[in-house]
Amino acid sequence: MPPSSPRTPVEPAPPGAGTRGGGPLLLLNAQYLPSSRDWRDPRAQADSPFLVDTFVRAARRAETAGFDVLFQADFSGVNRAGLRAGPPLTVFEPFQAAALIASATSRIAVMPTVSTLHTHPSSFARSLASLDRISAGRARINVVSSFRPGTAIGVRREVPRDRRHAQTEEFVEVAKRLWASWPPAANVPDRVTDRYVREDLILDVDHRGEFYDQSGPIDMAPHSADFPFVLQATSSLAGLRLAARTADGVFAGTPTLGAARELRRALRARTREAGRAAGAVALLPGCYVHLVDTPAEAERLRRAQREVLPAGRAALLALRARFPDLRLDGLDLADRLPGGLLPEDPEQVLAAHGSRYLPLWDLARAPGGTVGEFAAEVLALNEHARFVGTAEQIADALRRWYEEEGVDGFQIILGNDFDALCERLVPRLRELTASFPPGSPRPAGPAVPRVAAGS
C-alpha cells in the first residue's frame, strides 16, 4: 500500500474542537528531564525527580518551546527492580504536582493520571474541578485502569478483566455528569434576587449503575463548562471502541509509520460508529528521541544498536518468543518471507492480536525480504517509535508522520538532551508544520492551548 499523500482538510472541525490552528498536538512526559541523564552523573542531581522544582523548570521550558501539555503518568505499587535501576516514575501525587506546575506557568496544559480502579468518580471529579480552577481551564486528564493487580492498598474492589472497559466507561460518565451539575453560570451573582450563587442552576445527579451509585451534584464548582480533554491508553480494538465513546485522545505504541496510519484509520472508523465526527479523537502515540549533533553520529548509533541484537538462529528464536502468534513454523532465516505470515487486512490483525502486531504487518509488506531480514527489523523495534538524529532530522521525521496521516500528535516520553529538545527540535517542528491550515481533523472537546515557540 503506497503512502498516502500529505493530509488535506477532508472535513470541518467538529463543534467544540477549538481554534488551535495547525500542527501536531505535543505532549511532554514529565519524566523526560529527570531521566535524560545517567543518574550516576553528578550533573544529574540538579534534575532529581525528588525535587519538585525539576518538574516546574521542565514545564516552563516546555511551554516556551511550544509543547501543549505536560503529561504526568502514575503507577500504583512499588517496582523494586525498577527502583534499583533508576529514578522512580512517581514521586509526587499527580494532582498536587499539576496544581503547583499550573500556578508556575501560564499557557501549557497539565495532564495528571487517574486510576478508575482505585478512585471513586466523585472524589476524582472534585480533584479535577479544583485543578481546572487553579489552572484557569488548563486541566486535562489521563484515564487508566491500573495494570498492576493487588495494588489498591486498603481498597477491596476487584473488577473482572472482561468488565474493566464497562467500569471505565461508567466512571467517566459519572464524572462528566457531576461536572455538568454545577455550570459556570451558577457562579454569576444575581443582584436582583440577592443571590451570590445561583443554586437553582445546580442540578442533582441521580445515577444508579453496575459499578457506581451517585446522588447529589458536585460540591466543587469547575472553572470550565466543558469536561477536560480525556486521554486513554489502549492497544486493542475494544479499547479503541471505548475511547471512541468516552475520550478525546488515544495513547498507543506504534513504532512504524505504517502501523500508526492503520491504527489511526481504525480509530477514526470506530469514532464514526460511535456517532461522533471521525476526527473527534486524536491518535497521540509515544516516541523516544535521541538527539545528536551530526547525521554521521546518528548512523553510528543506529549501527551500534543493531550490533547488540540477536543474530542467526537466536534472532528467529527471539522473534518466536516475543510474537508467538506469527506463522513461522517450518521457516528458516534464508527463506523468503511468506505472504500468509499475518492476515492481509490490518483490521483483522488489530482484532486478533491488538496494535502490537500492526508494526509486523507493516514490515511484512516489503516485497522480497527474507525471514532473517524481517526478524532483524522487528527485533530492532521498541514499543514506541524511536527517532535518532539531529534536531532537524527528527523534526522532519515527526512532520512526515503527521502530514502522512499517521498521527495527530505525539507524547515525547524519554530522550537524552532536554536542552536540544526544547531549544532546537520542538521549535523546528513547529516551524515545519506552522503553515498547515486549521480545520483539518482534530480532537473534539476542550481546546488545548497552542503555544508559540519562543514566546
Side-chain angles (χ1 to χ4, degrees), residues 1 49 52 157 176-177 193 216 221 244 324 326 331 334-335 373 450:
M1 184 183 300
V52 73
R157 183 172 68 246
K176 287 183 175 181
R177 288 187 63 186
T193 60
L326 282 177
L331 295 177
D335 294 338
E373 292 166 343
R450 177 62 65 205

Side-chain angles (χ1 to χ4, degrees), residues 149-208:
T151 54
I153 300 172
V155 178
R156 297 193 176 195
R157 183 172 68 246
E158 291 296 330
V159 178
R161 183 169 294 275
D162 64 352
R163 298 300 299 157
R164 287 190 181 180
H165 283 164
Q167 184 258 345
T168 296
E169 185 164 7
E170 188 177 336
F171 178 97
V172 174
E173 177 192 352
V174 172
K176 287 183 175 181
R177 288 187 63 186
L178 286 168
W179 189 279
S181 68
W182 192 320
N187 300 327
V188 179
D190 186 349
R191 291 179 175 83
V192 175
T193 60
D194 198 30
R195 288 186 292 187
Y196 186 75
V197 172
R198 289 284 308 275
E199 84 287 349
D200 58 311
L201 297 181
I202 299 174
L203 307 174
D204 287 326
V205 173
D206 185 15
H207 175 87
R208 299 291 179 266

Side-chain angles (χ1 to χ4, degrees), residues 295-308:
E297 187 179 353
E299 183 54 36
R300 283 195 298 271
L301 271 174
R302 283 189 284 266
R303 283 200 305 268
Q305 290 159 3
R306 287 194 293 266
E307 287 171 359
V308 300

Side-chain angles (χ1 to χ4, degrees), residues 66-112:
F67 278 98
D68 300 295
V69 182
L70 185 74
F71 172 90
Q72 298 166 268
D74 194 17
F75 297 91
S76 57
V78 175
N79 182 346
R80 296 179 185 274
L83 291 175
R84 287 193 298 271
L89 295 175
T90 304
V91 173
F92 300 100
E93 195 284 319
F95 281 83
Q96 293 179 5
L100 179 64
I101 290 166
S103 69
T105 55
S106 60
R107 297 181 303 280
I108 194 168
V110 288
M111 181 182 283

